[in-house]
Amino acid sequence: MAPTTHTELPEELASFIKDWRDRPGNLIMILHRVQQHYGYLPELVADEVCRRTSIAASQLYGVATFYNYFNLSPPGKHRVAVCMGTACYLKGAGALTEELRNHLNVEVNGVTQDKQFSLQEVRCVGCCGLAPVVMVDDEVHGKLGPEGVQALLDKCQEND
Amino acid sequence: MINLRIDGIPVEVAPGATVLDAALAAGVDVPRLCAHEDLSPSGGCRMCMVEVDGTSGLQPSCTLEARDGMDVATETDPIVAHRKITLDGFVSDHPLDCVTCEKAGACELQKYCYRYDISGTTMGFDLQRTMVQDDNPAFLRDHKYCILCGRCVRVCEEIVGAKAIQFADRGSSTYVATTFDRPLEESTCVFCGSCVEVCPTAALLPKSSIGKGREWELGRQRSVCSYCGVGCRLEYRTRTVTGLNGPRTEIVRAEGFPEAPVNGSFLCSKGRYGWDYAAHPNRLTKPLIRKDLAYEMGLTDEPWDVPDQSPLKAKPAVAREGFVETDWETALSVVADRLARAAETYGPGAVAGLASARCSNEDNYVFQKMMRGAVGTNNVDHCARLCHASTVAGLARAFGSGAMTNSIREIRHADCIFITGSNTSEAHPVIGYEVMRAVRDGASLIVVDPRRIPITEHATLHLQAKSGTDIWIFMAMMRVIRDENLADEEFITQRTEGFPAFAAGLDDITVEEAARQSGVSEDKIRTAARIYAGGIRQEGESRYPEVREAGRGRSTILYAMGITQRSNGTELVLTLANLSMLCGQIGKPSTGVNPLRGQGNVQGACDLGALPNVYPGYQKVDDPAIRSRIADLWSVPADDLDERPGLTVVEMMHSVLDDTVKAMIFMGENPMISDPNGAHVEEALRHVGFLAVADIFLTETAQLAHVVLPATSAMEKVGTFTNTERRVQLGSSVIEPPGEARPDWQFIGEIGRRVAERLGRTSLRWEWDDAAAVMEEIAAVAPIYGGVRHSRAAGDGVNWPCPDLDHPGTPILHVGEFKRGKGAFHAVTPKAPAELPDEEYPFVLSTGRMLYHYHTGTMSRRSEVLDWKQKRGYVEVNTADAEKLGVTDGEPLVIESRRGKIRTAARVGTVVPPGMVFVPFHFREAAANLLTQDENLDPTAKIPELKMCAVRVTNPAVQSA
Amino acid sequence: MAFTSYCLVCGGIGCEASSADTIYQRICDGVDAAGILDDVQVVKTGCFGFCEQGPIVKVLPDESFYVQVSPDDAESIVTEHLVKGRAVDRLQYREKGSEATPSKAISFYQKQVRIVLRNCGFIDPEDIEEYIARSGYVGLEKALFAMTPDDIISELKASGLRGRGGGGFSTAKKWLFSKQASAHQKYIVCNADEGDPGAYMDRSVLEGDPYSILEAMVIAGYTVGADKGFVYVRAEYPLAIRRLQHAIGQAVDRGLLGENILGSGFSFSVEIRLGAGAFVCGEETALLMSVEGKRGMPVQRPPYPAVKGLWGKPTVINNVETLANIPVILTKGGKWFSKIGSETSRGTKVFALTGKINNSGLIEVPMGITLRDIIFNIGGGIPNGKAFKAVQTGGPSGGMITAEHLDTPIDYETLTELGSMMGSGGMIVMDEDDSMVDVAKFYLGFTVDESCGKCVPCRIGGRKIWKLLDTFAAGNGTLEDLEQIERIGAWMKTSSLCGLGKTAPNPALSSIQHFRSEYLTEETV
Ligand SMILES: Nc1nc2c(c(=O)[nH]1)N[C@H]1C(S)=C(S)[C@@H](COP(=O)(O)OP(=O)(O)OC[C@H]3O[C@@H](n4cnc5c(=O)[nH]c(N)nc54)[C@H](O)[C@@H]3O)O[C@H]1N2
Ligand SMILES: Nc1nc2c(c(=O)[nH]1)N[C@H]1C(S)=C(S)[C@@H](COP(=O)(O)OP(=O)(O)OC[C@H]3O[C@@H](n4cnc5c(=O)[nH]c(N)nc54)[C@H](O)[C@@H]3O)O[C@H]1N2
Ligand SMILES: Cc1cc2nc3c(=O)[nH]c(=O)nc-3n(C[C@H](O)[C@H](O)[C@H](O)COP(=O)(O)O)c2cc1C
Ligand code: SF4
Ligand code: SF4
Ligand code: SF4
Ligand code: SF4
Ligand code: SF4
Ligand code: FES
Ligand code: FES
Ligand SMILES: [Mo]
């Protein structure tokens, strides 16, 4: 049985869900859209998605936890992702992660206390030629050494 | 067929079978931890890997399709080495706590570790899952024992259809989770325990048996579930405890078992967890006499008056104070005396009795024999009147027999399932599983029901017809079928009669009008017609090769109270019969018109003549030839047997108030809560000169009785129960009866003997050594049970008609020929419900069931798990109406009809459409039957219209403000 | 209208990440300001492949190859080159300190043969006309109007094309199985999940030449009798997704996709489905689960997807690169294709050459080329004068190949014989500084993270090997531990459910085989 309580959804999301409601295999596409909107998958919104579609809540949860891309808790304002693909790894991505952890004082997959940054490791962003690579939000920063980390973070906050 | 060899053993299997299936067929026990015979293969545990000659390496036998000429080896050195290291891996992430583990002895992991000599890991012990979830009284989830075989996830989705659990996370962090790890209660779990049943390890454990003994110490007793008409067989696991009164048997849990003919390993929450009522401290242990009568008899010196307060409101402990305990002799004498006296004074017709669909065939046989033979009246009826009376009337007219035309296991192979007026997943859950299997296999499912009941989630089409308008849909479907030439002309000409008159009647029906009446789109009606008529699947190919040639798949109709509890119930049943005959969807496997009978033994109670118009075996009381045959068998003069049909349930209550019925005896019925217009029932029961009630608890009805007789429950007696598919199955005595409780047939027989003696009918026989002996007599009296014996009812049971000992039984009726010869079409015109909403009472009230409770709640509300799951009553109300009424979920509402009013909690949602409310009738504190109507009975079947009446719904908070 | 010169700005992800877009904008603005809009066409293309030197700008017809361009250089490119026709010398690529090297002469491109990447770096991936202008949709036209499905399969068979997603299964056979399966509904799925960490071949095709994939899918649909296709793209490739979506729109508008394609009566539609960060979803059965909106847990084969795939229906699933070959094969003929490459492996292979290598980037080479050619000629050798140690092909599923095998001509079979595999095309070069134990541990860490958890050997075995490697990395491993890795590795290889688990121990096993001394010190032996 679908949950009975309602959660208001933004118009754009609601119409996306309506569009996809009867399309087979819709779940992952809908989750992408929810995450695009909220930055993560809020529990109540997930329930609402199930209510509006015929997706079983357990399936949603199973899927949301299976795929690395989906977050179940709010990310930081800026998403800092260190590429841990092979090329970057060989070129010292490990040290970069280390440096970022120290700078931000946060573990991988964590969010800084001030909610400004979340730190992640990702697998190959497809810029291996620029290894090692760090992505900040949608921007790729290549050939980055540990010494460049501070400047990178500063720049990020300047732009705010 | 496919022929192959397993370890050299030749074996033949059906196409599509796996190598594992073939191995098991060859008697080779290939190790397996994720495979399960009822579930789709997973291939995750890798234990079942085998070698196939001509291919390199190992392959999992559970996913590999068997092919002609395969030569398979299942236990070579490389395979053994592989299994050893696989188990080594398993136990590196699993504590081998076998010494104290609850599962030891029944654990499949332990079994294979023993077989392959694995007592620990070489890989380093490193436990990945440590969570223990103890959030419900049914079962414990201890993740450290979980080997991620996925059986639980699959059974929950594939068989139960609940989808409560799923794998979460991945890799070595994978675990089985509810959504957002919420407590199981907040998930869609229906507490069927199927996951526990299939779990190979101790990861899922029934709480009731924890600490109560090791696997090998527990006893086993197979029996039949004492609740609904599906008639699941189960195995009670027991232990012996020694108390003050010496040793006694205690049930510690219930299990399904693969060979169970209907249900296999699976049960619903009631079968799985609802057995503990039998050991409830409130059980009746001694005969009781009401204090006023006791005073009259000198058994007490305190005068006493029946209190004015309704038993619906009384506390059980207080209720007891109105009675004194007595011995059986006294109790039986007084009952016999009162019944006989009424018969003597006012004639046999002044006595009326209700038999019971909760009691065994033997109990019911003896009861009606007592009423007919000893008292001399046909005033015997039972709750079937409120239930499938219209089925019995309708199907008898159309086909000649009023039972399910096909068997339950055929449902899984149907191409189309048409469900109407049956909340299958709540009222017949295990039949719901059967429907799930078919749907998973690609069958289409059409549901016609005003409510969005759980099964609609799996439906191809849900035609949410407004309450009482379904008949328009059925008729319009037939119009479409006729107009589009989808009818089975050949079947109609060869097997039926009355078609022209019926067909002409369809001219007055249009799809447009049906859509207008029902609120269902024309399109849906047309599509439903085409799918049903053609047996069109959603996916895949029919199981039946003939279907491919005929071009018509197999469609089966399942229906229940939504059709029968109607003022035109008989006509509705005839309509469904028309529909099936029109399309030739009857008389073949996986087709038919299948009334899902409700009570565990309602089929049997009807079969054995607990009806006012027939002797056992549906032999008409008003047929002189039959009467004299029965008289011979009973050795009474034929004139002693009443020649007129007796009173029906509702008529009995009316007759009490007309002063034509003076004394009553009820065995296992609780009309105070189950009969319509409760206030009227209470008035009658307070009014009647004498009332005896045999029950296992001091029910609301028993509280008004003069004498209360303590019966053994199904758990404490041997007897047969006939399930909805006419399968007669033997129930066994599992535990000792509490106190002095006795089997119904014994003490009813005693009453019969005494009454008969008083009335001079001394030739009647009442002595049976045991229930098996009663069955011997039944076999002689009821030809359809001619070949039924306890020996045959044990095990898989036998489906009647079964005329003699050599007859194998009849799972499908009307093959080749209808019971009545030709199937009869009946012209029917749509009729509206009797009491329609109006300005004063603007809502339609429907009443019925919910999954966890059973009828008047005497048993299910005394079961720990069931009671925990649903403590109180409620009223389903649509979100839009709730908004208008200003209530939110859980807040109280007052429901009022022309007959009474109740107050209960709102359950806000979209199960009911706007303008409709639904109240389950299980809860005495909000008794639905205070609202329902006992007028406007179906003219043929005399069934009350329990599925609709007009009510007013108000919010008490708003009123008082 | 003919332009006199073309200015191609690399819009590949590497260059894009280093301000290629700003460079492109500024050049456009400059051209506009200079009033030479009618003479010069500025195009932002897909990846040139030579990512090491990005951002790259190429000017045609004179083949000037500007590397490491910054936004500020845009002005001189416009004023000097595009207006005055004088190449900007300081930006030109110089091979080994020599003169400015025109693109044709650059050794990075010398040994390459571009079939899959034929359009990458040449066309505007957002303009279907440019694709059509370079013989786009000739193959489809031929297929629809001049060939029967059986003809197409014969042509593919003649070409010898094998799947580029890693398995190397004959594409002709796969299509034939699916064609032979009887069903009302069939599907074509393009596997664009590209999960190998350190590989981005498919991304470049999707971003640089999305039309070729769509064209190939229609051909596949026509051949096997499918009318619906899905492209499963990793969500980490937003640009690829955008370009693909755009391409689908244009193709539909041009009648090259959708109802009644080119008036042939054949209809075929394509939808995009996104991955969500799970390497295992590159595995075909897991991918199909994912398209169905489920957890990407593989399903035991057989049955193969060609017979029982998406929603139980026959489904052809092909890799991006495989598909990109198809239109060319139909245009130029299977025979032509079969002449390229080695005996068992025809055609070319795209590799993402990365790691400790001078010219990292995307290359397309004929099958049968030697590793030495790739690493030392195309790749320009190892930087900083370090010695070559090993190269890993096949990503986390592959193995390490050492110097002694550098001269092996590479194809599906030879790589497998060397204990590695072709994989999807990642090629990671390691130098003397790299610890093979660490690299093995890195890969195992990856597969342990990415294991779906369904089957025991992979779920448990992988983690055990990883833990043992950790022991070795800390210098505490024993001979017994080493043997345990081998034992568990053998178990995983023989009995895991899907390719992920079957191949996951490879990096550990091959590094033990080739670099045993890095595992066992003198004391531990
Ligand atoms: N858990 C549980 N199971 C039981 C029982 C129980 O008490 N509890 N009782 C047993 C007994 S004795 C019986 S008879 C069966 C009854 O089993 P069911 O008949 O399945 O149960 P009900 O809840 O009475 O309602 C049947 C359905 O009729 C629908 N309905 C209401 N109005 C209409 C209408 O106008 N047209 C149509 N077509 N449908 C309508 C309701 O929405 C509901 O889904 O269950 C048996 N099983
Ligand atoms: N409003 C409304 N009313 C309805 C219905 C509805 O849908 N709506 N449905 C109707 C239907 S279909 C039915 S079948 C009836 C059911 O109505 P009832 O048969 O009155 O209901 P039960 O609660 O099953 O009552 C059976 C009684 O038998 C007792 N009992 C159990 N086992 C034994 C035993 O072994 N021996 C004896 N002697 N007693 C035993 C139980 O404690 C219980 O008191 O309700 C009907 N009433
Ligand atoms: C773990 C694993 C990951 C894979 N990842 C990819 C991938 O990213 N892209 C791909 O095309 N094929 C991948 N494959 C191969 C696919 O399963 C499949 O063989 C391929 O898509 C078929 O297409 P082809 O015949 O065109 O190569 C992977 C296989 C495995 C076992
Ligand atoms: S679950 Fe089985 S193997 Fe595990 S401790 Fe219990 S009995 Fe032993
Ligand atoms: S008890 Fe039944 S519904 Fe609940 S999780 Fe287990 S199988 Fe699913
Ligand atoms: S809980 Fe039991 S049935 Fe479920 S996955 Fe774990 S071991 Fe298997
Ligand atoms: S379906 Fe009926 S018979 Fe079966 S377990 Fe449930 S209540 Fe008992
Ligand atoms: S081998 Fe690994 S990824 Fe593949 S099914 Fe098994 S656990 Fe999943
Ligand atoms: S490995 Fe980091 S971008 Fe590919
Ligand atoms: S039983 Fe076949 S893999 Fe588990
Ligand atoms: Mo019933």
Side-chain angles (χ1 to χ4, degrees), chain B residues 376-521:
Chain B
T377 176
N378 282 321
N379 289 342
V380 49
D381 202 4
H382 73 292
C383 66
R385 183 65 46 204
L386 309 175
C387 189
H388 272 291
S390 18
T391 294
V392 175
L395 293 189
R397 283 213 255 158
F399 305 146
S401 171
M404 251 175 107
T405 58
N406 294 62
S407 67
I408 295 172
R409 284 278 175 114
E410 289 166 54
I411 297 172
R412 64 178 64 180
H413 296 149
D415 299 309
C416 163
I417 298 170
F418 186 90
I419 298 182
T420 182
S422 154
N423 183 357
T424 323
S425 17
E426 297 206 67
H428 296 89
V430 171
I431 293 183
Y433 302 169
E434 205 65 26
V435 174
M436 277 305 301
R437 287 187 201 243
V439 170
R440 173 161 62 95
D441 210 44
S444 43
L445 170 62
I446 303 170
V447 180
V448 180
D449 199 297
R451 292 162 66 220
R452 241 174 75 182
I453 48 174
I455 199 104
T456 60
E457 289 193 20
H458 308 282
T460 317
L461 285 179
H462 176 201
L463 286 72
Q464 198 171 3
K466 280 187 223 140
S467 160
T469 64
D470 47 1
I471 186 138
W472 285 98
I473 302 224
F474 308 143
M475 303 282 285
M477 281 173 65
M478 293 193 279
R479 171 84 197 248
V480 172
I481 290 165
R482 190 196 71 179
D483 291 358
E484 297 188 3
N485 294 321
L486 302 172
D488 187 339
E489 304 291 350
E490 196 185 313
F491 183 92
I492 294 169
T493 6
Q494 290 177 2
R495 303 271 319 261
T496 69
E497 60 192 28
F499 180 70
F502 152 79
L506 290 180
D507 290 342
D508 302 336
I509 306 291
T510 64
V511 180
E512 295 71 22
E513 179 61 10
R516 209 183 54 77
Q517 290 278 347
S518 64
V520 175
S521 73

Side-chain angles (χ1 to χ4, degrees), chain B residues 634-689:
Chain B
W634 286 351
S635 25
V636 287
D639 284 351
D640 280 2
L641 299 183
D642 187 358
E643 58 187 5
R644 291 151 307 154
L647 297 171
T648 61
V649 170
V650 182
E651 288 167 340
M652 284 180 197
M653 299 302 166
H654 292 308
S655 303
V656 167
L657 291 171
D658 292 349
D659 277 325
T660 49
V661 165
K662 300 287 189 181
M664 295 176 113
I665 175 164
F666 298 168
M667 169 181 81
E669 292 255 318
N670 190 7
M672 274 291 292
I673 296 188
S674 60
D675 279 13
N677 194 359
H680 187 248
V681 173
E682 183 170 344
E683 194 188 342
L685 297 186
R686 282 178 184 274
H687 181 76
V688 73

Side-chain angles (χ1 to χ4, degrees), chain C residues 217-474:
Chain C
M217 288 178 75
V218 180
I219 296 170
Y222 170 72
T223 309
V224 308
D227 65 357
K228 176 115 202 115
F230 291 94
V231 186
Y232 184 83
V233 199
R234 26 186 345 214
E236 293 87 340
Y237 288 178
L239 183 64
I241 296 164
R242 220 168 50 230
R243 295 237 165 105
L244 201 54
Q245 195 67 66
H246 183 84
I248 291 173
Q250 282 194 331
V252 169
D253 290 347
R254 282 291 244 113
L256 294 162
L257 196 62
E259 293 297 313
N260 191 13
I261 294 170
L262 292 172
S264 65
F266 176 69
S267 302
F268 189 85
S269 62
V270 173
E271 273 186 44
I272 297 178
R273 289 300 160 95
L274 303 188
F279 171 64
V280 69
C281 288
E283 196 280 336
E284 56 189 21
T285 61
L287 183 148
L288 297 180
M289 293 298 262
S290 192
V291 173
E292 290 180 15
K294 301 182 182 150
R295 291 165 59 84
M297 312 213 340
V299 179
Q300 179 78 40
R301 300 173 308 179
Y304 289 88
V307 179
K308 194 162 179 264
L310 200 57
W311 291 296
K313 300 287 180 275
T315 302
V316 164
I317 166 159
N318 274 128
N319 163 263
V320 168
E321 190 181 331
T322 313
L323 290 173
N325 279 300
I326 306 259
V328 195
I329 291 174
L330 289 203
T331 313
K332 300 199 180 173
K335 246 207 205 97
W336 163 81
F337 188 84
S338 73
K339 292 200 183 107
I340 305 159
S342 79
E343 188 59 37
T344 61
S345 313
R346 309 294 188 179
T348 60
K349 179 76 196 88
V350 183
F351 289 103
L353 185 60
T354 58
K356 305 293 179 62
I357 184 104
N358 274 318
N359 301 335
S360 63
L362 206 64
I363 63 171
E364 182 173 356
V365 290
M367 299 274 194
I369 192 173
T370 64
L371 282 169
R372 186 179 304 284
D373 258 343
I374 294 179
I375 294 166
F376 291 95
N377 294 331
I378 299 176
I382 315 299
N384 311 323
K386 300 275 179 169
F388 168 85
K389 186 169 189 180
V391 55
Q392 169 101 7
T393 64
S397 313
M400 293 157 190
I401 299 168
T402 53
E404 57 185 305
H405 296 118
L406 277 177
D407 292 313
T408 318
I410 54 169
D411 62 24
Y412 291 102
E413 278 66 31
T414 52
L415 285 176
T416 310
E417 278 158 30
L418 291 177
S420 180
M421 61 184 286
M422 177 74 75
S424 51
M427 190 175 273
I428 313 255
V429 181
M430 289 163 277
D431 70 12
E432 55 187 290
D433 292 345
D434 294 319
S435 149
M436 294 299 112
V437 178
D438 284 349
V439 170
K441 187 183 139 196
F442 164 80
Y443 278 122
L444 263 296
F446 175 81
T447 40
V448 166
D449 267 4
E450 298 295 336
S451 160
C452 83
K454 180 173 183 176
C455 74
V456 185
C458 171
R459 178 177 81 233
I460 291 178
R463 194 179 147 81
K464 298 296 177 195
I465 295 186
W466 179 82
K467 286 191 112 181
L468 289 164
L469 289 171
D470 193 43
T471 315
F472 281 107

Side-chain angles (χ1 to χ4, degrees), chain B residues 358 565 670 674 695 717 744 847 849 855-856 858 929:
Chain B
R358 313 307 306 279
Q565 291 174 335
N670 190 7
S674 60
D695 207 294
K717 68 179 157 205
D744 294 84
T847 61
R849 291 149 180 84
H855 293 161
T856 66
T858 59
N929 275 325

Side-chain angles (χ1 to χ4, degrees), chain B residues 20 31-35 42-49 60-63:
Chain B
L20 177 63
R32 55 206 182 275
L33 284 168
C34 64
S42 142
C45 81
R46 315 311 275 175
M47 283 298 290
C48 69
M49 308 264 281
S61 60
C62 68
T63 57

Side-chain angles (χ1 to χ4, degrees), chain B residues 547-756:
Chain B
V547 159
R548 272 160 245 169
E549 289 143 41
R552 189 191 292 275
R554 299 277 164 89
S555 300
T556 185
I557 298 175
L558 311 182
Y559 75 91
M561 298 303 99
I563 293 297
T564 60
Q565 291 174 335
R566 307 272 293 274
S567 55
N568 56 342
T570 306
E571 290 185 343
L572 275 153
V573 171
L574 287 171
T575 302
L576 294 178
N578 288 341
L579 177 60
S580 75
M581 289 189 289
L582 180 64
C583 306
Q585 296 286 15
I586 184 158
K588 301 189 227 8
S590 300
T591 64
V593 180
N594 294 293
L596 305 182
R597 306 297 308 254
Q599 295 262 37
N601 198 35
V602 64
Q603 184 66 54
C606 292
D607 299 345
L608 293 173
L611 296 172
N613 59 337
V614 287
Y615 291 114
Y618 303 100
Q619 309 179 80
K620 294 225 156 43
V621 295
D622 48 10
D623 181 331
I626 287 171
R627 203 162 56 245
S628 68
R629 193 180 87 89
I630 302 284
D632 279 356
L633 286 162
W634 286 351
S635 25
V636 287
D639 284 351
D640 280 2
L641 299 183
D642 187 358
E643 58 187 5
R644 291 151 307 154
L647 297 171
T648 61
V649 170
V650 182
E651 288 167 340
M652 284 180 197
M653 299 302 166
H654 292 308
S655 303
V656 167
L657 291 171
D658 292 349
D659 277 325
T660 49
V661 165
K662 300 287 189 181
M664 295 176 113
I665 175 164
F666 298 168
M667 169 181 81
E669 292 255 318
N670 190 7
M672 274 291 292
I673 296 188
S674 60
D675 279 13
N677 194 359
H680 187 248
V681 173
E682 183 170 344
E683 194 188 342
L685 297 186
R686 282 178 184 274
H687 181 76
V688 73
F690 178 77
L691 174 64
V693 169
D695 207 294
I696 59 174
F697 292 106
L698 190 60
T699 62
E700 296 71 17
T701 304
Q703 286 171 38
L704 294 175
H706 296 88
V707 180
V708 179
L709 303 169
T712 52
S713 76
M715 230 72 77
E716 299 133 12
K717 68 179 157 205
V718 174
T720 56
F721 296 83
T722 305
N723 80 346
T724 178
E725 55 175 358
R726 297 169 282 107
R727 186 188 295 272
V728 188
Q729 307 190 100
L730 187 66
S732 25
S733 158
V734 186
I735 56 177
E736 296 76 21
E740 296 173 17
R742 290 192 192 173
D744 294 84
W745 66 266
Q746 273 186 7
F747 63 76
I748 297 289
E750 281 296 309
I751 294 171
R753 188 168 58 80
R754 283 157 214 254
V755 173

